[in-house]
């Protein structure tokens, strides 16, 4: 099949392509700043044009490229002790998440997740005096639940952000989170490959066509993040966490 025939499998017109491109740019501006949030930013716009069963694999492909793109220039800043604490817990969480996803209804978990995220974000924004650093022991629940939520909802990165931003400088936190997201994305990508999702060539061609929009969003996000102080960066991440929680609650009541 030719490229045009593959793209013809998607029925939206020029206006649809413009909206989809904008959604990807916005999602990866957020990703470039915070290292997570693409599904929660792009999902509400993409759902107008394609089913969720296509959106999630599409964003996993783009996240895979974006995470390694974020990681490569900052790999020397990765805090290996924190990474090694979180990785085993994340792997356990991802495994549990896949089991739950295949065997349980996840709608209640979606609501609980949204409520938890929103409550944490409101607390963080409202309470000024709070511990400057979490204990290393928090790597166990944060890593496990982050992996669980990542496999279930594609949005566990906020927990890594909470933990790492409390323990590391901004650059090290961003680099370490990029490494974690890269590992998480490899796991989810492998599961989709095993399930045969990427045997659909139109989906792969769509991801290829959206790479420039992803790259533009990352470039803008990185430039914006370099202009932020650590305090402003953490506060922005917290606002993104709150937006993510509200989006999940809305998604629960709209399904």
């Amino acid at each position: 099949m030719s490229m045009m025939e593959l793209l013809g499998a998607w029925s939206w017109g020029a206006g649809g392509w413009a909206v989809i491109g904008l959604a990807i740019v916005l999602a990866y501006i957020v990703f470039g700043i915070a290292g997570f949030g693409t599904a929660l930013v792009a999902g509400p716009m993409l759902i107008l044009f394609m089913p969720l069963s296509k959106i999630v694999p599409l964003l996993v492909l783009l996240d895979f490229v974006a995470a390694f793109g974020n990681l490569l220039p900052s790999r020397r800043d990765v805090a290996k002790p924190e990474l090694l604490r979180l990785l085993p817990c994340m792997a356990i969480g991802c495994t549990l998440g896949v089991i739950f996803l295949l065997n349980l209804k996840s709608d209640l978990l979606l609501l609980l997740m949204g409520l938890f995220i929103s409550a944490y974000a409101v607390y963080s924004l409202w309470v000024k005096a709070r511990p400057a650093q979490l204990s290393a022991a928090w790597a166990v629940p944060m890593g496990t639940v982050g992996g669980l939520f990542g496999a279930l909802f594609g949005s566990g990165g906020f927990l890594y952000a909470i933990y790492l931003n409390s323990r590391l400088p901004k650059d090290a936190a961003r680099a370490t989170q990029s490494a974690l997201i890269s590992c998480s994305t490899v796991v989810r990508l492998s599961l989709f490959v095993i399930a045969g999702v990427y045997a659909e060539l139109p989906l792969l061609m769509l991801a290829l066509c959206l790479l420039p929009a992803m790259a533009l969003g990352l470039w803008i996000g990185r430039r914006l993040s370099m202009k932020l102080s650590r305090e402003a960066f953490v506060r922005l991440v917290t606002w993104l966490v709150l937006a993510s929680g509200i989006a999940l609650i809305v998604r629960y009541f709209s399904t």
Side-chain angles (χ1 to χ4, degrees):
M1 296 178 68
S2 68
M3 180 176 177
M4 295 306 297
E5 288 174 330
L6 290 172
L7 292 177
W10 306 105
S11 58
W12 54 77
W17 277 104
V19 173
I20 291 168
L22 176 62
I24 296 300
V25 170
L26 292 175
Y28 286 94
I29 289 174
V30 171
F31 190 92
I33 294 172
F36 68 95
T38 53
L40 294 168
V41 174
M45 299 173 73
L46 295 181
I47 200 71
L48 300 173
F49 301 96
M50 64 184 82
L52 192 62
S53 60
K54 305 296 182 187
I55 294 172
V56 174
L58 172 67
L59 293 177
V60 166
L61 274 175
L62 296 176
D63 283 355
F64 178 78
V65 178
F68 280 98
N70 268 357
L71 177 60
L72 288 176
S74 60
R75 59 189 181 279
R76 293 181 181 178
D77 293 325
V78 172
K80 293 181 180 178
E82 298 294 353
L83 185 65
L84 293 175
R85 285 191 191 101
L86 287 164
L87 275 178
C89 302
M90 184 198 71
I92 293 171
C94 283
T95 303
L96 292 173
V98 171
I99 293 172
F100 291 155
L101 186 64
L102 296 177
N103 294 282
L104 299 175
K105 291 183 178 181
S106 59
D107 53 348
L108 181 58
L109 289 173
L110 185 72
L111 176 62
L112 294 176
M113 176 186 175
L115 291 173
F116 169 74
I117 297 173
S118 301
Y120 168 82
V122 169
Y123 169 80
S124 298
L125 292 168
W126 185 265
V127 179
K128 302 299 181 183
R130 55 182 183 276
Q133 180 172 303
L134 290 175
S135 164
W138 278 95
V140 176
M142 292 296 198
T144 304
V145 179
L148 174 69
F149 285 173
L152 277 173
F153 311 117
S155 54
F158 72 95
L159 285 170
Y160 310 142
I162 292 168
Y163 175 80
L164 292 171
N165 282 319
S166 78
R167 293 184 57 81
L168 299 171
K170 184 179 75 170
D171 290 342
R174 291 183 73 248
T176 308
Q177 177 153 334
S178 293
L180 282 166
I181 296 297
S182 299
C183 295
S184 174
T185 303
V186 167
V187 173
R188 288 181 288 153
L189 186 69
S190 301
L191 292 172
F192 283 130
V193 169
I194 293 170
V197 173
Y198 297 125
E200 298 183 23
L201 292 179
L203 183 63
L204 296 178
M205 184 57 66
L206 177 60
L208 183 63
C209 290
L210 292 174
L211 283 177
M214 180 211 73
L216 176 61
L218 280 180
W219 183 83
I220 296 172
R222 287 172 186 165
R223 294 303 180 276
L224 291 174
S225 68
M226 287 189 295
K227 297 179 180 180
L228 297 173
S229 66
R230 172 177 162 75
E231 292 72 21
F233 177 78
V234 172
R235 192 167 184 83
L236 177 59
V237 169
T238 305
W239 277 108
L240 292 172
V241 167
L242 178 59
S244 298
I246 294 172
L248 288 172
I249 294 171
V250 171
R251 178 176 163 185
Y252 170 79
F253 286 108
S254 64
T255 56

